[in-house]
Amino acid sequence: QRMTGSTHQYRQALTDIDAADLARINRALDALADGSYGLCDECGCDIPFARLQIEPQTQHCVACKSRWEQATGHAHASH
């Protein structure tokens, strides 16, 4: 089957997203194993349980994630 350029780009983007999500999930599993799960990677504060329920693989509290989004111009509310 021949793929168009846009189909290939779409599939590559999905692969990149999947790889990034998988890396975050693996990081969360490592944190569970070493006892650091639920702590913000940036400031070390406890990540609220409600946030972890919504996004269990998150590595940052809301405040640090918001600062990162503002600094980088990203407006994505997860991860």
Side-chain angles (χ1 to χ4, degrees), residues 49-69:
F49 183 68
R51 178 163 169 78
L52 293 171
Q53 285 180 303
I54 294 168
E55 190 175 354
Q57 75 277 18
T58 192
Q59 298 172 6
H60 299 98
C61 66
V62 173
C64 287
K65 180 65 175 180
S66 294
R67 277 194 300 274
W68 177 83
E69 289 173 348

Side-chain angles (χ1 to χ4, degrees), residues 21-37:
D21 285 340
L22 184 58
R24 282 190 292 276
I25 291 166
N26 283 329
R27 167 65 184 95
L29 292 171
D30 289 344
L32 277 170
D34 70 19
S36 65
Y37 180 75

Side-chain angles (χ1 to χ4, degrees), residues 10-26:
Y10 175 75
R11 287 186 177 177
Q12 184 60 49
L14 287 177
T15 300
D16 292 345
I17 290 168
D18 292 343
D21 285 340
L22 184 58
R24 282 190 292 276
I25 291 166
N26 283 329

